[in-house]
Amino acid sequence: MNLPLKIPSLFKTRKKIGLALSGGGCKAFFGLGVGCVLMEAGMPITAIAGTSAGSAMALSLMSGSSEAVLRYFYAITLRNPSNFYLSRLFRGRRPFPHETMYRRAVATYTDIEKLQKSRIRLAINAILVPLHKYPPEDMMKKIQLISRIMGSLREENKLAEKGIYRPVMAQTALAMGLEEVVFRNEDITSKKKAADIILASSSVPPLVSFQKVDGQYYLDGGIVHNLPIIHIEDADLIVAVYYEGLTRRAVELSGAEFGRTIIYVHPDSRLPITTWDYANPHGVVQAYEMGRRAGEKTLKLLYNII
């Protein structure tokens, strides 16, 4: 696996730059590539917001472990031949390998000391599942909750195909009593806590189960804000990385852009990997390399405006 050479530090500005990374599973390695190029160039990033897999990439960038994470994930996906194991199901075990692989990668390459010393403000969103509404022991209520959210996502996609955008999934989640929570630097106090929070932001049962953080259960933050620029508190300009047109459209219609300068970055062609393909090591690397090329184009644009 050949990684591109780093470029020298070029940025000399006092502007505050934010980076927002959308959720997208393995597609988020594209966002990691973009972020790596910007940080290697000395871009003065003061805040990073991520959701779902984008939160894992944000933590990797702040830990300075991006290339190690890429190599590690390449290695473990190379050893994983399938995204579903029927034999495990018959033995009463989880048939999907995603949660274990994901948690191991986050816990291994998070640098708590570097994170706590960083001047970059981190924001990771997740969706709180209130215990009084959805008791942990009431499996039927959990199944109904996931069913309604997935149904609302399908409805949202069908409307989008007709050129109609409505945030059906976010509205459904809020109507069902779910609440958005934002975790920041001070909340991540250990490698285990880091993994707990990242998986909470990425929780999509049954692939990644309901996650527990400090006694509370959470679901994927992308349900409400899949490109969380709203959680970047102070920035003169935001670079926002996303993968699906619906994600950008949600931001545009939410009003989160108001008063902000935003540069949107997305793949210029189809990514060679899908969201939950944990058996495609070459797709992981190719998505990252596509992100680096997009990052280099973004740098050229930034040179002209800051």
Side-chain angles (χ1 to χ4, degrees):
M1 178 174 58
N2 295 317
L3 297 176
L5 294 175
K6 294 184 178 181
I7 58 179
S9 179
L10 300 171
F11 277 91
K12 302 294 181 183
T13 178
R14 293 184 179 180
K15 288 186 179 295
K16 297 177 181 178
I17 311 299
L19 176 63
L21 299 174
S22 168
C26 289
K27 295 177 183 179
F29 278 99
F30 174 91
L32 182 66
V34 173
C36 281
V37 169
L38 300 184
M39 294 189 79
E40 288 165 10
M43 182 177 176
I45 295 175
T46 58
I48 303 179
T51 193
S52 197
S55 69
M57 302 311 168
L59 198 60
S60 174
L61 288 167
M62 291 185 66
S63 294
S65 59
S66 300
E67 291 183 2
V69 167
L70 179 67
R71 290 190 178 95
Y72 181 78
F73 210 78
Y74 174 86
I76 62 175
T77 51
L78 191 64
R79 297 195 302 268
N80 179 53
S82 176
N83 288 302
F84 180 81
Y85 293 88
L86 185 61
S87 60
R88 294 182 186 177
L89 185 63
F90 289 146
R91 295 197 297 269
R93 296 170 56 195
R94 185 180 299 279
F96 303 102
H98 305 78
E99 184 170 333
T100 300
M101 294 169 68
Y102 194 10
R103 178 175 287 277
R104 189 178 300 156
V106 173
T108 301
Y109 289 100
T110 296
D111 189 325
I112 298 299
E113 183 178 359
K114 187 171 289 187
L115 178 67
Q116 292 176 342
K117 291 180 178 179
S118 178
R119 294 183 180 179
I120 300 174
R121 290 295 293 163
L122 176 66
I124 296 172
N125 70 328
I127 305 301
L128 175 66
V129 181
L131 295 177
H132 68 282
K133 288 182 175 289
Y134 305 95
E137 66 277 6
D138 194 333
M139 186 57 65
M140 185 55 66
K141 279 194 174 182
K142 285 186 175 181
I143 292 173
Q144 290 171 346
L145 171 62
I146 295 301
S147 178
R148 281 194 61 183
I149 289 175
M150 295 308 295
S152 65
L153 175 60
R154 287 192 292 271
E155 181 182 350
E156 192 171 299
N157 286 330
K158 286 181 181 179
L159 288 172
E161 289 173 1
K162 300 176 182 178
I164 303 169
Y165 175 77
R166 289 179 189 155
V168 182
M169 186 167 60
Q171 290 172 352
T172 298
L174 296 176
M176 296 182 74
L178 306 188
E179 306 168 22
E180 186 178 31
V181 172
V182 180
F183 295 99
R184 299 194 180 274
N185 305 55
E186 53 271 20
D187 297 307
I188 301 177
T189 54
S190 66
K191 286 180 175 286
K192 181 183 183 304
K193 192 70 174 288
D196 288 346
I197 289 173
I198 295 299
L199 268 78
S201 181
S202 309
S203 175
V204 183
L207 294 170
V208 176
S209 63
F210 282 87
Q211 294 296 305
K212 193 175 184 180
V213 181
D214 295 334
Q216 299 285 345
Y217 287 88
Y218 294 87
L219 286 173
D220 194 303
I223 291 171
V224 174
H225 290 118
N226 196 40
L227 183 55
I229 66 170
I230 193 171
H231 299 309
I232 293 179
E233 296 174 336
D234 183 21
D236 300 303
L237 179 150
I238 296 173
V239 176
V241 184
Y242 71 98
Y243 313 104
E244 310 295 340
L246 269 176
T247 297
R248 176 170 176 175
R249 188 65 174 149
V251 174
E252 292 172 336
L253 295 179
S254 70
E257 291 182 316
F258 183 76
R260 295 172 180 253
T261 300
I262 301 174
I263 295 177
Y264 287 101
V265 182
H266 63 94
D268 57 10
S269 60
R270 184 170 183 158
L271 288 172
I273 195 165
T274 56
T275 301
W276 293 106
D277 190 355
Y278 278 34
N280 183 0
H282 301 296
V284 167
V285 176
Q286 289 165 13
Y288 172 81
E289 290 174 344
M290 286 177 66
R292 288 196 66 99
R293 290 193 292 272
E296 289 162 3
K297 291 180 181 178
T298 304
L299 280 179
K300 293 178 182 178
L301 177 59
L302 288 169
Y303 293 151
N304 293 322
I305 61 177
I306 66 173

